[in-house]
Amino acid sequence: MSNIKKILVVGAGIGGQSVAIGLKKAGFEVDLIELHKEFNVYGVGIIQQANALRALDAIGVADEAMRRGSPYGKVKLCLPHGIQIGEAGTPPIGRFPSHNGISRKILHEVLFEEAQKVGLNYRMGLSVENIDNQPDIVNVTFTDGTADSYDIVIAADGVNSKVRKLIFGEFKTNYVGLSVWRYAFKRPANLDTGYIFFNKKHKLGVIPMTADSCYIFLNSAEGENPIIPEDQLVEKLKTYMSAYPVPIVQELIPQVTDAKLVNYRTLETLKMPAPWYKNRVVVLGDAAHTTIPQLGSGAALAIEDAVVLIEELQKEGEVSEVFERYMKRRYERCMMVVDVSETLGAWELLEYNDQPLPEGANMGMLMGKTGMALTAEI
């Protein structure tokens, strides 16, 4: 094992908690800091594909995520009035189904409970103020004035990563011209799997989340000025939903009542060029590769990053060798997801603006091919 003992993880999102839990279980001394004073995770639901569940299993929480989520098979792709035109999703991997729908809040709870079990040291309401990143040690000053030294620092602090900015400088995100809307609902009795309905101007997914809840996502193109005032969110979402004359969508429309529960955000990507490390600081998850949800793989990539980094840190080698091995296993796979998601997003945008797709463009085929690639060992 490398001579790394004491590790700081910055950011207690899905990637940060995953890597911290796995490292603690592997015998490392781990501090986990989180900017928010308490976990107030909303974010509605996420789609976990089989590869995400396989990665969660490596840190010991896949079964609990499936028990509290809603495993389902392939997603049915349909026209607005419900005629099925195809299906999407990868085959199961071993005991892991094609998909598990889960609320982001529940996934956080599953991870947090596991972290408590292994005795992880959380420090909430805290971020890094300054990082002195030496070749052999990292000296960190925190925003509360305290300081400590670590063998390595793992930046899992998201798309606007403060650690990344301090160590690697500024990176600009790329707004792709699309937005996503999400809203949670009581689950209709006849929701047997995930559905995505395609309209000429947007697409809408109905996704199981738990035994008694589901959520919808709706992708739209809001143009150059995509900011929508809160008092318009409910009406606008209802208008979009009314374009799908299928009972499973129509019966949900009256339940959209609270603007505070409309989870609306613009979609942007970020690709941090190699290397994702410098001296003793390494980056994972959205801080290195922010994707858009066209492949539903953002959280999965962060968990996979965590699993690979945990594995490599338990092997022999200098820190730079460990980080280089981690990069080699992750870089192309993560970039593939961001690139393919951007391509799918660009094609959607063309369609929503009544423009022709490039010759040979086939969304279903590209999604299928990429999904199969993600079933490969990490």
Side-chain angles (χ1 to χ4, degrees), residues 34-77:
E34 166 57 46
L35 183 59
H36 294 98
K37 287 192 169 55
E38 54 192 51
F39 285 126
N40 190 10
V41 178
Y42 175 53
V44 198
I46 54 179
I47 299 167
Q48 299 184 302
Q49 289 162 337
N51 64 300
L53 295 166
R54 176 180 61 189
L56 276 181
D57 194 45
I59 56 168
V61 296
D63 290 312
E64 189 61 14
M66 289 190 288
R67 191 178 72 74
R68 286 157 73 169
S70 183
Y72 59 97
K74 295 205 172 180
V75 173
K76 294 179 180 175
L77 308 176

Side-chain angles (χ1 to χ4, degrees), residues 215-228:
Y215 76 99
I216 65 149
F217 68 81
L218 187 134
N219 268 35
S220 65
E222 302 295 338
E224 287 308 301
N225 185 16
I227 307 307
I228 295 172

Side-chain angles (χ1 to χ4, degrees), residues 297-332:
S297 286
L301 291 182
I303 303 162
E304 286 186 350
D305 284 356
V307 169
V308 170
L309 189 53
I310 293 159
E311 286 177 4
E312 294 301 340
L313 283 166
Q314 292 178 83
K315 296 176 189 168
E316 292 297 328
E318 292 299 315
V319 173
S320 58
E321 292 163 7
V322 169
F323 289 166
E324 190 55 38
R325 292 196 304 258
Y326 155 73
M327 285 272 327
K328 275 205 166 67
R329 288 175 63 185
R330 297 306 299 155
Y331 190 79
E332 281 179 17

Side-chain angles (χ1 to χ4, degrees), residues 8-9 11-14 16-21 24 30-39 107-126:
L8 174 68
V9 178
I14 292 168
Q17 288 200 92
S18 296
V19 78
I21 290 164
K24 181 77 176 156
V30 185
D31 287 346
L32 176 60
I33 66 167
E34 166 57 46
L35 183 59
H36 294 98
K37 287 192 169 55
E38 54 192 51
F39 285 126
L107 180 56
H108 259 267
E109 282 165 11
V110 167
L111 289 166
F112 186 67
E113 284 163 23
E114 190 70 12
Q116 301 299 97
K117 249 187 250 172
V118 299
L120 196 57
N121 179 30
Y122 276 81
R123 294 176 70 191
M124 303 293 286
L126 194 66

